[in-house]
Amino acid sequence: MLRRPLGVAPARALSSIGPLLALLAACAFFAARSDRFLTGGNLSLVLQQVMVVGVLAIGQTLVILTAGVDLACGAIMALGGIVMTTLAARLGVPVPLAIAAGMGVTTLFGVAHGLLITSLRLPPFIVTLGTLNIAFALTQLHSRGQTVTGIPAALGALGDTFQLGGTRIVYGAVLMLVLYGVAWFGLRETAAGRHVHAVGGAPEAARLAGIHTRALLIGVYALAGLLYGVAALLSVARTGVGDPNAGQTDNLDAITAVVLGGTSLFGGRGSVLGSLVGALIVGVFRNGLTLMGVSSVYQILVTGVLVILAVATDQLTREGRR
Amino acid sequence: MLRRPLGVAPARALSSIGPLLALLAACAFFAARSDRFLTGGNLSLVLQQVMVVGVLAIGQTLVILTAGVDLACGAIMALGGIVMTTLAARLGVPVPLAIAAGMGVTTLFGVAHGLLITSLRLPPFIVTLGTLNIAFALTQLHSRGQTVTGIPAALGALGDTFQLGGTRIVYGAVLMLVLYGVAWFGLRETAAGRHVHAVGGAPEAARLAGIHTRALLIGVYALAGLLYGVAALLSVARTGVGDPNAGQTDNLDAITAVVLGGTSLFGGRGSVLGSLVGALIVGVFRNGLTLMGVSSVYQILVTGVLVILAVATDQLTREGRR
Amino acid sequence: AGCAREQSSQPIIGLITKTETNPFFVKMREGAEAAAKARGARLLSGAGRNDGDNAGQVTAMENMIAAGARVILITVSDAKAIVPAIAKARRDGILVIALDSPTDPVTAVDALFATDNYRAGTLIGQYARAALAGKPARIATLDLLPGHPVGAQRHNGFLAGFGLAAPDAGSTTLGTAQEVVCSVDTYGDQTRGQTAMENCLQRDPGINVVYTVNEPSAAGAHKALVAAGREKDVIVVSVDGGCQGVRDVGAGHIAATAQQYPLRMAELGVEAGVDFVKSGKKPSGYTDTGVALVAARPVSGVESLGVDVGLQRCFGDR
Amino acid sequence: MSGSIVLEARGLVKRYGHVTALDGADFALRAGEVLAVVGDNGAGKSSLIRALSGALLPDAGEIFIDGRAVRFRGPMDARRAGIETVYQDLAVAPQLSIAENLFLGREPRRAGFAGRVLRMIDRRRMHAEAAAHLRALRIDVGATTQAVETLSGGQRQGVAVARGAAFARHVVIMDEPTAALGVKESGMVLDLIRRIRERGLPVVLISHDMPHVFEIADRIHIARLGRRAAVVDPARIGMRDVVAVMTGALRPEELTSDVLA
Ligand SMILES: Nc1ncnc2c1ncn2[C@@H]1O[C@H](COP(=O)(O)OP(=O)(O)OP(=O)(O)O)[C@@H](O)[C@H]1O
Ligand SMILES: Nc1ncnc2c1ncn2[C@@H]1O[C@H](COP(=O)(O)OP(=O)(O)OP(=O)(O)O)[C@@H](O)[C@H]1O
Ligand SMILES: [Mg+2]
Ligand SMILES: [Mg+2]
């Protein structure tokens, strides 16, 4: 009965190479249009610009792999950032404690998502639509609408840079890459990681196979919440302030990155490294189009076309390989 | 084998009465807190304030019943409104033609959604995430960011009012109610309507039963697009201008209304009248909280809690009846 | 420049607005483009995605500097949040000029060409008070969005001009007063302005003064007042002085508006930028690009321009 | 028993990428007979009948009804030709009612203005006819207004079988209709198949249940590796030999000609 040769299975880091090709094509295009594009400094800049969405997208990937979706990731991140900065700058709480509190808040949101989704069996779309509003309002209330300035240097340490072959690289970008490595390893090489795929692709089967789907899902949402806390720290480090209006576009941007990276919104299928590629595609386009002098309305237009085109291409090439 | 009493089947207009109870409870609460709430004028006002989202929510319900979702409905509506008003006010095109052109554009977006979703089998979430950006950018480009004023009276006719028992009611609100009636009838009493439910709940079964699922889906998205065009006309009539920034919050508001109304995001289950109730819940809360003098930030907080609470209650009461 | 390849001799100036979707900024960009063309400079323009999108402005700034811009003109979305990014750019030798609204602190940029939003608020506050002629005030404020400095400055300036206790120009908290019976955020949007006004009238039908943060929200408020039959006896005041807004003043929809001059800001900014690239000369300090009250019916004790003058100086579609 | 050939297929091929589901399959169904199709899991039985019912488009091969070549572009074409199918995975819409499922895709319309212009479904007639069909086949599922999702697995199967039996004019195809059923319900389906045969309609029955197959089939089509390995007469062959051909333990050529049908 085994009529299918196993060309499908080799250690594939990406669920498909379509997104990677799109990224390379975009880079080639912009390199041809602007000789500033391919400089070390510029590429490091792109990395730095995507680090916040990149880390959000790791959490978002976990959630989407379980066939969920998180509309609130950016709003929760903003709340985490405001908690960290108000504690550290306004109340003089020691930096490690402030960071822990901020991450605690974002993780709590994740746990709440998990509980509502598993215990009451509410759709993730709704739960996170609700927490999107809640987190936004809490952020405004907690910050009284004010940007938090004067944060201690230690809280912004991930925004510092080091030299690598003449290019300045920000520590936060390295942290993002490390987190991608860890997530990739965990999803691929551990039982829990495979269970995440199983729960997303066939929840009932996973349950019947003895996987504690409830605990697993709560764990996934909690971990995603923790990652939003890390993103909050990166966002604070990047801008040097606690910004109550941070993250508003990141909610959809993180989802866009995951989807551009080839992860299926129906769950079970995809790779977290794809999300990194997806985040980079968006970052490269924004950077490259600005270098070319394209105004932001056209950039939005291009992003829209890009999202559809990238996913369509991915879909078509997948079908071709069947 | 008949082990189940048949309390489930009587001509049920709503898929559950949870949302209706929530609406009534909200009304009772606000009536107790403000004696202005239960006046005819105020209730007519709420109706008028929800008419745009209400009509968007009809289209959104159709889409969600097929297990899709449309993130772009508000953006497409804004584009339709700008097309109508620029044609009529800036270029002097006759009003009926201008309206037809605006609705044509929104319908075209719907057809494009349908084609991309059925032919390339792209997830509706992605397709509409893309067109959200595209429609937004086109709106800004077409209007050059300027509000379009000086529109002919005929284009705003749906914003006119008539007297009913001492209360002034806007024609647009009546149109909305009529459209809800038509949609309810069509979904319930016609074969095509039942097929929409079938395609959403069990697409393969529908196909095997000989339903042309592709044509049906394209039809649903096109019809939704047409309804966004009607919403555009209502929005123009309500504000008296072509507003390039219209509809930005309506994308999620329309989805919220549908979900509050008890329609399942997994497709096949729900009622369009529920979406009207859902839209009214949001409108009543906004109106009532303003009457009580609650500030905008708290209104956002309340909306978030409300979304989760309403859907959770609905879910729990459904389970209770099982 | 035909193809986008930059020529190294040409000065490159970056203009970053809050959004690209507001006629005020559209006009500012057009003015900057014209000024840049006249002086042989190349203009890059960018914006945040929505008002308050600080991260988007930071990204735009970084990308423009990467594209070779030596000068950044910016209308900041968040006066405080942008400061570290500006400091970094200035350390790298970039000239940064704030247009339209100040950073906090003001000294974070090399120079500021702006309207005084607090003063704009004060002018319309004074006008409304005089126009009310001693009747007890019942005020509705249709504000911008939570925590926005420009929204707060206009709102608080209005209260101060009206003779009520108000926070000073540095605060981003909206002042309250007994006379203010209803406050709603409109995000400067016409539809939301209309809904807000409708609900405020339900809350207190006796409202007789409406402060609006900009002219689209004023237009929405007017529509609600007409529907309630109150358009004749309620004083609506606003800020911006766009051509449509001034026409609304002429039509009696808005009693008075405080006019600003985005074109002038943009021209001054581009001029200073080109000078800097050519000669290394840095501008400094605050240049008030002016604000003037436009009213169809002048009131005694408050200086104002007529509608015709306002129309000559306005921005947007004439 | 040599009725004329009602439904025939020659050389059907269907590939899914590297997997060949049908590899030149032949098929013939005679008037008035019950033809059982047996084979190992993955032998291509479902694919075969999906091709015969228009649910999949074969890459190659021909289909004939009463000797005339036909091309089905979709399930509707097969239905129009009078072929009704009960699919292995049931293919019911769980949130619709029993009656709506029976009539899915061919809802009766009201007479006059309500039907022609408003395109209203004639609910009363639909429920009455649905109840009559179910009664005639002695399928007991309660009220026809119940949603199918509230039924047990067996009851759902009953609805799916009833839909096939009720509307067939030419051929009824059933893919493992007793797989989910209890003893009593299975017996009822077998009775049902007999009753359909009595009406003169031929039935194609796919089943893994050999005793059932031998109880009811007039001929047995043995599928193997995407082809027809043999057609045999259950009256003259033993169960063991059929299984041997199915699994490849016995080559079809080794069968004696008297057991072939
Ligand atoms: N949609 C599909 N995509 C890919 N492969 C398929 C598809 N449908 C069927 N196949 C493959 O075709 C082969 C035949 O499948 P089919 O379902 O026809 O077998 P079957 O004889 O009905 O088996 P069973 O007795 O298990 O129902 C199997 O190997 C199966 O994996
Ligand atoms: N999720 C459910 N919702 C509503 N009713 C249900 C549900 N699951 C089972 N039932 C009802 O409970 C009864 C028993 O169903 P169950 O599926 O346990 O039967 P069963 O013995 O497994 O039957 P079968 O042999 O047909 O699978 C049936 O009448 C069915 O309608
Ligand atoms: Mg099968
Ligand atoms: Mg069972």
Side-chain angles (χ1 to χ4, degrees), chain A residues 53-81:
Chain A
V53 168
V55 170
L56 289 176
I58 300 176
Q60 189 72 254
T61 309
L62 292 175
V63 168
I64 292 181
L65 277 176
T66 68
V69 70
D70 190 342
L71 298 175
C73 61
I76 293 171
M77 176 198 81
L79 179 59

Side-chain angles (χ1 to χ4, degrees), chain B residues 19-308:
Chain B
L20 195 58
L21 290 180
L23 177 62
L24 294 176
C27 287
F29 174 77
F30 289 120
R33 303 302 296 262
S34 160
D35 44 4
R36 293 181 189 283
F37 180 78
L38 267 192
T39 60
N42 191 53
L43 295 182
S44 155
L45 194 61
V46 171
L47 209 58
Q48 179 179 338
Q49 289 172 353
V50 304
M51 72 186 181
V52 172
V53 168
V55 171
L56 289 177
I58 300 176
Q60 188 73 253
T61 310
L62 292 175
V63 168
I64 292 182
L65 277 176
T66 67
V69 70
D70 191 341
L71 298 176
C73 61
I76 293 171
M77 176 200 80
L79 180 59
I82 283 295
V83 169
M84 288 176 194
T85 51
T86 46
L87 287 181
R90 290 195 187 152
L91 303 176
V93 172
V95 168
L97 233 64
I99 294 177
M103 290 195 178
V105 168
T106 60
T107 309
L108 265 184
F109 264 84
V111 172
H113 286 169
L115 286 175
L116 287 166
I117 289 164
T118 57
S119 303
L120 297 181
R121 272 177 286 145
L122 304 185
F125 192 98
I126 296 307
V127 170
T128 57
L129 187 60
T131 52
L132 167 65
N133 286 301
I134 294 172
F136 176 77
L138 289 180
T139 304
Q140 299 303 334
L141 291 171
H142 189 68
S143 66
R144 284 171 294 131
Q146 306 256 6
T147 303
V148 184
T149 55
I151 63 168
L155 195 53
L158 286 170
D160 298 344
T161 56
F162 63 95
Q163 289 278 137
L164 187 82
T167 300
R168 286 199 301 186
I169 295 175
V170 69
Y171 287 106
V174 177
L175 175 62
M176 173 188 75
L177 295 177
V178 169
L179 288 175
Y180 267 100
V182 171
W184 177 75
F185 175 86
L187 280 169
R188 214 185 115 75
E189 297 295 335
T190 72
R194 302 317 297 167
H195 293 176
V196 169
H197 285 87
V199 166
E204 186 59 14
R207 193 178 74 82
L208 293 176
I211 295 171
H212 294 288
T213 53
R214 208 173 150 230
L216 189 79
L217 280 175
I218 295 175
V220 161
Y221 279 95
L223 191 57
L226 181 65
L227 285 162
Y228 305 157
V230 176
L233 187 60
L234 289 176
S235 160
V236 169
R238 175 160 160 68
T239 57
V241 296
D243 179 1
N245 292 316
Q248 287 183 28
T249 54
D250 294 345
N251 296 312
L252 287 182
D253 280 359
I255 298 175
T256 306
V258 173
V259 171
L260 280 181
T263 294
S264 161
L265 282 169
F266 302 115
R269 241 175 287 267
S271 158
V272 70
L273 292 191
S275 305
L276 176 58
V277 174
L280 285 171
I281 290 178
V282 175
V284 160
F285 264 84
R286 194 172 302 159
N287 174 270
L289 290 174
T290 307
L291 289 190
M292 283 174 61
V294 174
S295 83
S296 300
V297 180
Y298 284 99
Q299 294 195 19
I300 294 173
L301 189 64
V302 170
T303 308
V305 174
L306 184 71
V307 167
I308 294 177

Side-chain angles (χ1 to χ4, degrees), chain D residues 41-42 44-47 88 175-176 206 208:
Chain D
N41 291 119
K45 304 182 296 296
S46 293
S47 301
Q88 184 169 4
D175 193 353
E176 306 197 23
I206 298 175
H208 288 289

